[in-house]
Amino acid sequence: MSEHAHAEPSFTERYVFSVDHKVIGLQYLVTSFVFLLLGFSMVLLMRWQLAFPGQPLPLIGRLLSASAAPGGVIGPEFYNQLGAMHGTIMVFLGIVPLGVGAFGNYVLPLQIGAPDMAFPRMNMMSYWLYLPGGLLMLSSFLLPGGAAQSGWTSYPPLSVINPGQTVWLLAMVLLITSSLLGSINFIVTTLNLRAPGMTLWRMPVFVWSQFVTAFLLLLAFPPLEAAAVLQLMDRVFHTSFYMPEGLIVGGQLASQWSGGGQSLLWQHLFWFLAHPEVYVLILPPMGICAEIISNNTRKPIFGYKEIVYAMMFLGTMSFVVWAHHMFVSGMSTTLSNFFLVTTMIISVPSVALLTCLILSLKGGAIRFTTPMLFALAFLPMFGIGGLTGLPLGLTVTDIYLHDTYYVIGHFHYVVVTGSLIALFAGTYFWFPKWFGRRMDDTLGKIHFWGTLAAMNGIFLPMFAIGLQGQSRRLYDPTAHLHNLIGQPLHVVSTVSAFVLMLFQIPVIYNFFYSMFRGEPTDSNPWKATTLDWQCPSPPPHGNFAKLPRVYRGPYEYSHPDHRDDWLPQDAEKAVAS
Amino acid sequence: MSDHADAKSHEKLYWMVGGALFVLTIATVLVSKYHIPHPWNYVVGIAIAVLKASLVVSIFMHLKWESRLIYYVLGITAFFAVFLFVLPIVDFSWTTGQIIHRADPAGHEAVEHH
Amino acid sequence: MSAHAAVAAPYENTGVPDGKLAIWLFLASEVMLFGTLFTSYIVLRTAAASWPVGWEVLNVPLATLNTFFLIASSVTIVMAHAKASARDKAGFYRFMGLTVLLSLAFLVVKGFEYGHKFHEGHFPSTSIFYAVYFTTTGLHGLHIIGGVAWNLGLMWWAGRDGWDDRLFLGRVEYAGLYWHFVDIVWIFLFPALYLL
Amino acid sequence: MNGNYGWFLPVQASDFAPAMDRGIHIIHWAMGVIFVLWSVFFAYLLVRYRARDGHKPDRSHLPLSVSLAPDIAVLAFEVLLVVVYAVPSWNRMKRIPPSAEGSLQVEVRGEQFNWSVRYPGADGKFGKTEPRFVDFTNPFGVDEADPAGADDVVTVNELRFPVNERVLVRLTSKDVIHSFFIPEFRVKQDAVPGLAMPVWFTPTLEGDFELACAQLCGVGHAIMRADVKVTDRAAFDQWLAAKKNATLAAAPKAAVEQW
């Protein structure tokens, strides 16, 4: 299959600078899991400070530098750095590379029967722009100014005045270029490298979700890149794109900026990206859940066409709703009504997707395997996340709830108990395809129940704290009188956060142990019908020995005139006996 | 892509389009030199630019003979670009009313925004 | 570049070769990038108390000359592609060389313009107009430098064994598409900054 | 900790609060009902269609009309909510600011980690301000020459309102984006430097409340707060007069040298 048959590739060519989409997928997988762990440990430091303000950190308090955490107590500047980096790492370095980079890179070519991505070398370049971008982002902690500390949204003028943002912006430009190249690669592969017979409407839902996500990445990221260039110019060359006239910083007139800029311009450009970005966070996990639910209910998913149309509609609308993040930021009030209506319209495809996934359970024979448990948990949890979005999307109630802990509860329910749980499901589901071995089931179930309980323990109290009016990003919540009543809830969240960290140990151990000494499986342990399970696992270079020909849709389970309850896409015809 | 038979006619077409672009550039410069009343100079300027751009896109970039898929890609991009343009401008047309035009730090009063 | 020949592909595809689809997608993202710069320009201009008139502040005749250079380079690169598809190697070299020369001329004129402004003490931080001017023309200039490097690479590759490579013709066309896009950005940038 | 705060929403202390709380209650009741219904149906599906011997999956699907019913229901509820509740109250709260004469004007200016507050005094007009006059004793940079500014009262981190009188706040910021948020009044508006945003409400309950900054504004964001006290008209006038004498006594020197 591969066009360049040359001498046996050296170790680096096979594993480090590899152009094989499977190796690049695994590189993305391990790197994004490491970043997720890093981002999560940052939030543990923050949670300690929120629950017990001013008390020194046990054990590791002394390890932190004196400037960041004097006497083991986290200082406000370090707290803001942790907050900004937690958001950036989890979104740009954790969930998106896991959902799009790892699962997309590895599974998409297999599911459409392609030998590799359309541009293997550009695919490698995507990873080798992502990794330096991530390391640059992390290294900003060690630089003199410290890491970025104006939130992951980096609103000017604060982000232009504060130290640490320049490295953040440079790292963002690297990550954006990596995502851009990746999305071009995905679109061209999906359109031009499908196995014969695999028409667009026979592609699995996971491939559709990656396809729509790739368009979101392609068209939404460049505006943030331009906005980041403008902010970089503001910081380094003292232009004043975002700096209005007559700024008085620290008591003096900030004369290095001549003024004339608009701070709200950044918010428009940032959220123009950030809202499609949150749909990039949720679409691939929804695709994973559709695959796993269909496989474990042993019947075709409900409404294949509705799901695909809902995903397309979601992708289109995601470009038109961005300013519901700016209802109280001084945006024109007439425009708020427009964005109110578009936000209400975009909630319909989310409900449609959830309805189709839940109705897929009706009439199935549900197998409660570990991936299925995670996929099933995704449905109610994402339901809570979606429902709590309603009061935030409504202009009036958003006046009170904007920038409170209610918002933090909302988007963590969507991203953590939504996307992350679905990505765990995908890991358990495709692990046998990646390594030819199965992850241990009991450890998986322990990890599932512990993670689900702990996650709810962290985020459920946040709704109550938010309704009491506690603002987000507060270094010390007890400084505001109206937050004192919510302090015990912070303790509950913090304890649950530490419990959640404990429950990640089973999956880390399980992941690396099963890689070498897990129970070996054949090429199709879950009896799945999609093409990725019709090739050996782990698939060799070039994936399919013989180019598969596709005869039917992706989810032909329990076909009436076929002997076993799954009929692969590339099987010639149903065999009755 | 264009096969070799009518390559000659294509080359002639390229030179003609090049000439047209030259003329339009001169036109747009002259138009802005001899002032046109306020709203119309924008309209004419943008119209000439759009005309030049459409010439380049359709002939030079072979879009006229391109497959429909490329039209879909450009259609989607145009749809989202319109929102990128229209909404911030609509917002700032209102926000400008709220801007505080401080006296210029050098002391003289900033011109009041009409 | 792509893992299979565009023509004899056993795969289900759209008939559009990979490279062309990729370059058009890349240009779509570039449309959004420069679209954002134009939106920022329009927003900052409507919100500004006063906006200098291009004629007084910038050297319009010089910029018109620059526009001629860029338009000419657009014509020569499309001619280079026509010559390459007609397998006329000398013609290809002549026109691609002209394209590179014209774009270098554009950069020289742009460099002179920048130098003149710095000499007069106008820097990006001077006022919001200069900030917009330097940032947009600077980013556009970077794209031109990228284009020049790509075209030079093509000429160098044609000299070695590239001329008979089955991907050569496609890459010349994609270089042309990218270059025409950079020209279109200037077609909108020129009136926006200098004339209106 | 006074009795303003409970496990749910804080006390309703302004004219907008009841309308806002009604919206929050409606939505949370609707969310609760929808979630419970879905959970019951979800649990039923898990039990009814679990894999067990003799249970064959059947591929017959519900017709589209049935499956789209929940979406239509949610959309209808939302359209109703938007048309009946959201747009009218939003226009009332944010769209058309009240006339300056009919309301108590206050200028609030956020700066990194303090709220400077200015009352126009008897003449009802604010003195002109210049960025270059700003210093520690003159947070607003009030121009000495302007007579209108003579009777202005300037306080820091302290707001006081008479009860049942409409207040029109002219909100801006000196350096970064802050957010004017009084939980009990259900009022929130970002203070954006360079923009003067009108915010208005009518306090309806006497008592001690709190103005908290709701937008990350730097290292001291957590401690950026101001005390808000609502009293009857007489106590307010008395406080204003007392404050007036205090600022007169400590009037800054006439000639502020230029550096």
Side-chain angles (χ1 to χ4, degrees):
Chain A
M1 275 304 137
S2 65
E3 84 204 355
H4 40 73
H6 47 69
E8 186 53 37
S10 67
F11 174 80
T12 49
E13 261 172 8
R14 272 171 62 81
Y15 292 113
V16 179
F17 292 105
S18 153
V19 287
D20 185 341
H21 73 101
K22 296 181 282 301
V23 175
I24 293 170
L26 291 180
Q27 287 171 336
Y28 262 109
L29 184 83
V30 174
T31 318
S32 45
F33 266 130
V34 167
F35 276 126
L36 281 175
L37 214 59
L38 268 171
F40 183 50
S41 42
M42 284 181 196
V43 96
L44 288 185
L45 299 179
M46 291 168 66
R47 282 261 39 115
W48 175 269
Q49 170 59 21
L50 281 171
F52 314 104
Q55 284 164 22
L57 277 158
L59 303 175
I60 57 169
R62 285 180 302 285
L63 304 179
L64 295 172
S65 72
S67 65
V73 179
I74 297 176
E77 200 174 32
F78 185 53
Y79 179 85
N80 284 348
Q81 286 172 16
L82 288 175
M85 294 314 284
H86 168 71
T88 310
I89 286 175
M90 294 307 243
V91 169
F92 290 106
L93 298 172
I95 304 267
V96 169
L98 187 60
V100 176
F103 285 103
N105 258 325
Y106 200 112
V107 172
L108 183 116
L110 296 181
Q111 285 202 333
I112 56 172
D116 202 318
M117 279 292 189
F119 305 105
R121 280 194 292 273
M122 193 157 83
N123 201 19
M124 181 185 83
M125 201 165 116
S126 284
Y127 178 73
W128 288 100
L129 277 172
Y130 158 67
L131 190 61
L135 296 178
L136 185 63
M137 191 72 86
L138 277 182
S139 65
S140 59
F141 272 105
L142 312 172
L143 298 180
Q149 48 193 291
S150 329
W152 80 287
T153 49
S154 106
Y155 278 2
L158 177 68
S159 58
V160 174
I161 295 167
N162 258 349
Q165 210 68 24
T166 309
V167 171
W168 185 86
L169 290 166
L170 292 174
M172 281 306 290
V173 170
L174 281 179
L175 295 175
I176 289 169
T177 317
S178 155
S179 292
L180 227 53
L181 298 180
S183 66
I184 292 175
N185 222 335
F186 274 52
I187 294 172
V188 173
T189 309
T190 314
L191 288 178
N192 276 359
L193 276 178
R194 283 166 286 127
M198 170 80 81
T199 63
L200 284 180
W201 288 105
R202 282 183 177 167
M203 293 198 307
V205 166
F206 176 76
V207 176
W208 273 109
S209 67
Q210 293 290 345
F211 185 61
V212 172
T213 309
F215 264 99
L216 293 188
L217 286 175
L218 180 78
L219 297 177
F221 257 131
L224 179 66
E225 189 154 25
V229 165
L230 298 187
Q231 192 171 102
L232 209 59
M233 292 285 287
D234 267 13
R235 284 186 61 85
V236 175
F237 297 105
H238 296 313
T239 56
S240 43
F241 287 109
Y242 303 124
M243 309 298 270
E245 292 165 77
L247 275 186
I248 299 142
V249 178
Q252 288 96 20
L253 187 66
S255 51
Q256 61 265 46
W257 290 287
S258 63
Q262 290 297 325
S263 325
L264 291 183
L265 178 61
W266 163 271
Q267 293 188 21
H268 275 293
L269 297 181
F270 176 80
W271 288 113
F272 185 88
L273 158 86
H275 203 79
E277 176 78 20
V278 302
Y279 285 99
V280 162
L281 288 177
I282 199 63
L283 277 177
M286 268 192 184
I288 292 172
C289 277
E291 298 291 319
I292 293 170
I293 285 175
S294 179
N295 172 273
N296 284 297
T297 54
R298 311 311 295 166
K299 65 179 269 297
I301 43 167
F302 177 89
Y304 171 87
K305 274 214 159 47
E306 283 86 19
I307 288 186
V308 171
Y309 281 128
M311 278 186 178
M312 287 186 195
F313 187 62
L314 204 60
T316 315
M317 285 305 291
S318 70
F319 278 87
V320 180
V321 289
W322 77 80
H324 57 226
H325 299 274
M326 298 165 58
F327 279 148
V328 288
S329 70
M331 194 176 72
S332 82
T333 49
T334 43
L335 210 56
S336 310
N337 285 328
F338 167 77
F339 280 106
L340 163 66
V341 170
T342 50
T343 307
M344 288 306 138
I345 291 171
I346 206 169
S347 72
V348 170
S350 324
V351 172
L353 278 166
L354 210 57
T355 317
C356 289
L357 288 181
I358 289 182
L359 286 181
S360 301
L361 302 176
K362 181 179 180 315
I366 303 169
R367 308 184 309 196
F368 293 97
T369 58
T370 314
M372 186 54 169
L373 280 178
F374 278 102
L376 286 173
F378 169 85
L379 301 175
M381 291 299 129
F382 178 72
I384 297 176
L387 285 171
T388 51
L390 209 56
L392 296 171
L394 214 64
T395 45
V396 179
T397 45
D398 188 56
I399 294 174
Y400 179 70
L401 293 174
H402 177 73
D403 263 354
T404 61
Y405 264 85
Y406 196 91
V407 173
I408 296 193
H410 160 65
F411 69 71
H412 276 93
Y413 257 94
V414 173
V415 170
V416 176
T417 54
S419 302
L420 193 55
I421 281 213
L423 292 169
F424 278 146
T427 313
Y428 282 98
F429 185 65
W430 273 296
F431 190 91
K433 178 52 63 182
W434 297 336
F435 301 108
R437 293 171 180 278
R438 183 196 285 267
M439 283 175 90
D440 180 75
D441 223 28
T442 44
L443 279 178
K445 291 204 164 47
I446 296 166
H447 172 231
F448 168 71
W449 292 108
T451 304
L452 193 64
M455 280 180 179
N456 280 293
I458 302 172
F459 303 123
L460 214 53
M462 287 188 178
F463 292 127
I465 298 173
L467 283 167
Q468 287 158 12
Q470 179 166 124
S471 307
R472 62 191 286 196
R473 293 172 172 161
L474 288 178
Y475 161 66
D476 170 7
T478 54
H480 289 166
L481 301 184
H482 71 277
N483 299 339
L484 293 176
I485 192 137
Q487 202 48 29
L489 294 175
H490 268 307
V491 175
V492 169
S493 285
T494 299
V495 168
S496 315
F498 281 97
V499 167
L500 183 63
M501 180 54 112
L502 289 183
F503 273 102
Q504 298 320 307
I505 296 166
V507 70
I508 296 169
Y509 168 78
N510 194 355
F511 186 84
F512 288 108
Y513 173 83
S514 314
M515 203 184 283
F516 304 103
R517 277 204 287 288
E519 169 213 345
T521 62
D522 61 14
S523 74
N524 195 350
W526 310 109
K527 302 285 179 289
T529 58
T530 46
L531 282 185
D532 52 341
W533 295 100
Q534 314 312 328
C535 57
S537 47
H541 192 66
N543 297 347
F544 296 91
K546 179 180 69 53
L547 178 61
R549 163 161 287 283
V550 172
Y551 297 93
R552 62 188 61 75
Y555 305 117
E556 284 307 324
Y557 290 99
S558 316
H559 197 280
D561 41 26
H562 188 58
R563 62 174 188 283
D564 30 357
D565 69 349
W566 50 283
L567 182 57
Q569 282 192 284
D570 61 350
E572 196 80 27
K573 57 185 176 333
V575 176
S577 65
Chain B
M1 283 174 287
S2 58
D3 46 51
H4 306 308
D6 61 356
K8 277 287 164 283
S9 69
H10 268 281
E11 287 180 13
K12 207 155 54 56
L13 183 63
Y14 294 149
W15 288 110
M16 277 164 37
V17 168
L21 291 174
F22 270 85
V23 167
L24 284 171
T25 309
I26 297 165
T28 194
V29 171
L30 292 181
V31 154
S32 87
K33 188 140 181 53
Y34 304 103
H35 295 295
I36 297 181
H38 170 60
W40 294 108
N41 58 357
Y42 292 131
V43 170
V44 168
I46 292 168
I48 293 178
V50 164
L51 181 61
K52 284 163 73 177
S54 51
L55 268 177
V56 170
V57 166
S58 56
I59 311 293
F60 284 177
M61 296 168 100
H62 305 296
L63 206 56
K64 235 147 68 75
W65 310 286
E66 203 51 75
S67 93
R68 276 198 328 281
L69 176 63
I70 306 293
Y71 293 150
Y72 294 153
V73 168
L74 291 178
I76 294 170
T77 316
F79 172 75
F80 294 141
V82 160
F83 285 108
L84 180 68
F85 269 87
V86 165
L87 294 174
I89 292 159
V90 162
D91 178 37
F92 277 95
S93 59
W94 176 80
T95 323
T96 44
Q98 310 298 328
I99 288 181
I100 310 162
H101 284 294
R102 283 226 166 62
D104 195 332
H108 54 267
E109 191 58 39
V111 63
E112 203 39 52
H113 194 63
H114 52 72
Chain C
M1 279 278 277
S2 59
H4 72 294
V7 181
Y11 293 98
E12 194 89 27
N13 64 43
T14 56
V16 176
D18 290 0
K20 174 167 284 190
L21 190 53
I23 196 73
W24 273 107
L25 289 168
F26 176 67
L27 293 185
S29 76
E30 289 289 292
V31 162
M32 297 301 275
L33 184 82
F34 282 102
T36 312
L37 289 178
F38 278 106
T39 311
S40 313
Y41 160 72
I42 296 168
V43 159
L44 291 170
R45 180 162 183 167
T46 49
S50 64
W51 196 263
V53 176
W55 280 88
E56 290 130 15
V57 177
L58 299 171
N59 183 336
V60 174
L62 199 60
T64 317
L65 177 68
N66 243 353
T67 313
F68 289 153
F69 283 152
L70 220 48
I71 287 175
S73 67
S74 247
V75 176
T76 52
I77 199 161
V78 84
M79 289 304 291
H81 174 247
K83 291 295 178 212
S85 57
R87 305 314 292 165
D88 165 4
K89 194 162 186 176
F92 165 75
Y93 266 104
R94 195 163 1 100
F95 279 107
M96 196 51 108
L98 256 174
T99 310
V100 170
L101 279 178
L102 284 165
S103 24
L104 290 178
F106 176 89
L107 287 175
V108 163
V109 166
K110 187 47 76 180
F112 172 72
E113 229 178 304
Y114 275 15
H116 177 66
K117 297 230 167 355
F118 291 152
H119 177 65
E120 271 178 12
H122 296 306
F123 295 97
S125 54
T126 319
S127 81
I128 191 71
F129 171 78
Y130 280 107
V132 167
Y133 167 76
F134 278 112
T135 311
T136 42
T137 47
L139 212 59
H140 177 261
L142 284 179
H143 278 79
I144 287 199
I145 292 168
V148 164
W150 189 342
N151 292 342
L152 282 177
L154 270 181
M155 288 171 73
W156 175 76
W157 187 41
R160 293 192 51 245
D161 53 8
W163 180 256
D164 311 312
D165 193 309
R166 59 179 166 71
L167 293 175
F168 178 76
L169 210 51
R171 289 194 182 158
V172 170
E173 187 184 356
Y174 309 148
L177 290 178
Y178 170 80
W179 192 254
H180 296 309
F181 172 78
V182 168
D183 181 23
I184 288 172
V185 170
W186 180 258
I187 283 175
F188 282 105
L189 210 55
F190 175 55
L193 290 175
Y194 290 83
L195 304 178
L196 299 180
Chain D
M1 197 171 56
N2 50 35
N4 290 349
Y5 312 111
W7 275 100
F8 197 45
L9 294 160
V11 70
Q12 297 176 353
S14 84
D15 61 345
F16 293 147
M20 176 102 54
D21 288 4
R22 205 175 314 118
I24 291 180
H25 287 300
I26 294 169
I27 292 178
H28 278 83
W29 271 109
M31 279 158 43
V33 166
I34 292 175
F35 185 70
V36 164
L37 286 180
W38 268 115
S39 305
V40 166
F41 180 55
F42 182 61
Y44 158 74
L45 287 178
L46 290 185
V47 170
R48 168 72 178 75
Y49 295 102
R50 68 188 185 288
R52 52 194 186 282
D53 302 341
H55 169 71
K56 297 286 293 167
D58 76 53
R59 294 159 49 108
S60 63
H61 279 164
L62 292 168
L64 199 57
S65 57
V66 172
S67 81
L68 285 187
D71 315 335
I72 313 275
V74 165
L75 185 64
F77 170 68
E78 276 165 11
V79 164
L80 195 70
L81 210 59
V82 164
V83 169
V84 168
Y85 170 73
V87 172
S89 4
W90 171 261
N91 291 345
R92 190 159 53 82
M93 290 181 190
K94 286 276 182 190
R95 191 91 173 271
I96 305 127
S99 65
E101 296 70 28
S103 45
L104 170 74
Q105 288 186 84
V106 179
E107 181 175 2
V108 174
R109 194 171 292 196
E111 61 179 305
Q112 280 195 312
F113 319 129
N114 283 328
W115 292 99
S116 316
V117 180
R118 182 159 68 145
Y119 292 84
D123 65 2
K125 285 202 299 304
F126 289 108
K128 204 154 62 60
T129 59
E130 299 280 342
R132 50 192 164 86
F133 292 138
V134 168
D135 63 28
F136 188 69
T137 61
N138 186 354
F140 279 85
V142 177
D143 185 349
E144 301 310 318
D146 181 359
D151 67 347
D152 290 0
V153 171
V154 173
T155 65
V156 177
N157 287 349
E158 188 191 356
L159 285 102
R160 189 145 327 206
F161 301 122
V163 71
N164 293 328
E165 271 184 45
R166 175 163 299 283
V167 174
L168 173 59
V169 176
R170 186 172 179 273
L171 183 66
T172 180
S173 156
K174 282 191 196 172
D175 38 33
V176 294
I177 295 179
H178 304 275
S179 187
F180 180 89
F181 173 44
I182 305 175
E184 298 81 359
F185 292 176
R186 308 291 191 278
V187 157
K188 182 178 290 164
Q189 180 62 47
D190 279 6
V192 181
L195 300 183
M197 281 293 151
V199 185
W200 60 91
F201 47 84
T202 310
T204 54
L205 186 70
E206 292 186 27
D208 288 302
F209 310 115
E210 184 179 40
L211 163 63
C213 175
Q215 176 72 274
L216 179 64
C217 54
V219 171
H221 167 55
I223 54 171
M224 181 168 173
R225 61 177 297 283
D227 296 323
V228 175
K229 192 169 183 56
V230 178
T231 62
D232 57 21
R233 183 69 203 188
F236 171 73
D237 293 340
Q238 192 197 352
W239 172 79
L240 202 62
K243 264 295 180 207
K244 182 72 207 127
N245 305 339
T247 40
L248 268 184
K253 296 185 294 312
V256 174
E257 74 281 3
Q258 192 72 23
W259 69 122

